[in-house]
Amino acid sequence: MKHNSWILGPALALVVIGATFKLSHAQNAAPVPTPVPAPKIENPRPPAATQLAPQGTSTPAMQAPAAGQPPASGQKRLSYNACNVEGPYIAITFDDGPSATLTPRLLDMLKARGIKATFFVLGQCVVANPDVLKRAAAEGHEIGNHSWDHKALTKGGPAAIAMEVNQTNAAIEQACGKRPTLIRPPYGATNTSVTKRLNEDYGLKVILWDVDPLDWKVRNSAHVTSEILKHTQDGSIILAHDIHPSTIEAMPATLDALLKKGFKFVTVSELIAMDRPQLPPKKEAPAAPTPAKSPSQKKH
Ligand code: NI
C-alpha cells in the first residue's frame, strides 16, 4: 500500500543513518570511550578497528576486518593485537616511514630514553631513505614489513602479495642487513587466508595493535599523548606513525609518562617471546557479541 511504503522509506532511511552514525562514531570519535568488539577466544584485547590513510592521500580510513584470528586451541598463533605478558612490558610501533626528517628526530628521542621501538616501514620509503633505516636498525630497533606502497593485501591476489612483501623485504635487507620476521598489513586489513599466507609462505608474523591514538587523523600532540596513556596496559602494542610532525612532537611527553607509569619498552618480537597464549581470556571477553561483518562495514 502506498502510504505504508511512504512511511517505511523515510523510517528505514533514519534507521540506516542512525546505524551509520553509530558505527562511525564508535570507530572514529577518539575522546569517547569506544565500545570495543570482543575478541573471540584467545586475544584479551579488541581487534583494531580503523587505521591510517595512505601517505599523502585523503582516502577514508579502512576498517580492519576481523583482526586477530584466534586459532583453535593448540594451534600456532598467527597474528597479534597485544600479548599476554607478566609484567609491564609494552611495544611502541611506528608505521609508514622511514621519513628523512621526522624519523631521525624520533630516533634521537628514543635513544635519549633508552627505548627500543619497532618500525613498520614501506619499501618505497626505505629505498628513498636507506640511511635512516640503517641507523634505526643499528640502534637496536626492530624493523618490520609494511608493504611496498601501502596497498591493502586483501585486495590483490597472491602475485600482488608476493610483490608487496618480497620487494619490501629486499629493500629492508639491503638497507640494514636484516630480513624482517614481522609484517603489519596496511590498514590492518587482513583475513584468514592472507594471514595464513603471510605466515606460511613468507614466515612473517602478522602484527596489529590494541592502542590506536588515531594520530593519522587527529593531528594534535596532546590528543595523541592522552589517548596512548589512557589505553596502554601490560602487553600493549601501540600504533603510531613517524610521518606526522604532531606524532613526533607528542613523543617526549608520551614516552616520559609511560616510563613514569613503570612501563618497560621492548620490541614486538621481544613482546611476543614473552606471550603466554594459553592464558584464559579476561572476564569481559566471553560475554560480548562478536562484531557484525556486514558488507557495508567491509567496504570501508
Ligand atoms: Ni600504514
Side-chain angles (χ1 to χ4, degrees):
M1 283 165 73
K2 268 190 177 171
H3 72 275
N4 272 355
S5 63
W6 184 86
I7 290 167
L8 198 62
L12 205 63
L14 277 175
V15 169
V16 170
I17 289 165
T20 305
F21 173 77
K22 201 176 168 192
L23 181 67
S24 64
H25 185 72
Q27 288 170 356
N28 296 331
V32 179
T34 307
V36 291
K40 286 178 208 159
I41 304 167
E42 182 190 51
N43 294 330
R45 305 297 168 70
T50 57
Q51 234 258 41
L52 55 154
Q55 255 188 323
T57 75
S58 56
T59 307
M62 291 174 69
Q63 184 184 3
Q69 290 106 34
S73 112
Q75 282 186 315
K76 195 180 154 199
R77 192 171 171 186
L78 303 180
S79 70
Y80 297 80
N81 296 96
C83 292
N84 296 315
V85 298
E86 198 164 51
Y89 299 99
I90 58 173
I92 190 162
T93 67
F94 296 94
D95 288 12
D96 295 4
S99 149
T101 53
L102 296 176
T103 307
R105 279 177 60 197
L106 175 61
L107 289 172
D108 290 344
M109 294 169 185
L110 295 170
K111 193 177 190 178
R113 292 163 179 82
I115 289 173
K116 302 292 183 249
T118 301
F119 290 85
F120 288 100
V121 295
L122 295 176
Q124 63 181 9
C125 296
V126 173
V127 296
N129 304 298
D131 292 344
V132 180
L133 193 81
K134 193 176 175 183
R135 178 186 162 190
E139 292 181 358
H141 304 292
E142 182 165 21
I143 310 299
N145 188 320
H146 192 44
S147 85
W148 180 262
D149 53 3
H150 216 275
K151 283 205 182 76
L153 301 180
T154 46
K155 297 211 166 165
I161 292 177
M163 191 288 284
E164 295 286 343
V165 172
N166 289 334
Q167 275 192 208
T168 304
N169 275 355
I172 292 170
E173 198 167 7
Q174 189 169 355
C176 73
K178 289 180 201 161
R179 202 168 183 79
T181 59
L182 311 177
I183 187 165
R184 172 167 286 156
Y187 314 101
T190 189
N191 56 40
T192 306
S193 85
V194 169
T195 295
K196 221 165 162 251
R197 182 177 295 278
L198 293 169
N199 273 269
E200 291 174 2
D201 294 1
Y202 299 95
L204 294 167
K205 291 187 181 84
V206 172
I207 308 302
L208 301 163
W209 59 86
D210 69 321
V211 178
D212 181 2
L214 297 177
D215 63 324
W216 58 270
K217 187 180 179 196
V218 184
R219 308 286 179 89
N220 177 294
S221 297
H223 181 264
V224 172
T225 300
S226 68
E227 284 300 298
I228 290 176
L229 293 180
K230 202 191 301 177
H231 299 293
T232 300
Q233 50 187 315
D234 295 358
S236 278
I237 298 174
I238 303 167
L239 171 68
H241 299 86
D242 54 334
I243 56 165
H244 303 306
S246 47
T247 299
I248 304 305
E249 281 148 23
M251 281 305 122
T254 306
L255 300 173
D256 288 342
L258 289 170
L259 288 170
K260 203 175 165 194
K261 281 180 152 198
F263 286 115
K264 296 184 196 315
F265 290 85
V266 294
T267 64
V268 169
S269 285
E270 288 169 340
L271 196 70
I272 288 174
M274 289 186 257
D275 188 43
R276 300 171 302 168
Q278 299 310 317
L279 274 190
K282 288 183 181 172
K283 275 182 185 171
E284 66 271 20
T290 50
K293 277 190 254 173
S294 69
S296 66
Q297 275 178 275
K298 284 185 137 184
K299 285 273 158 61
H300 280 291

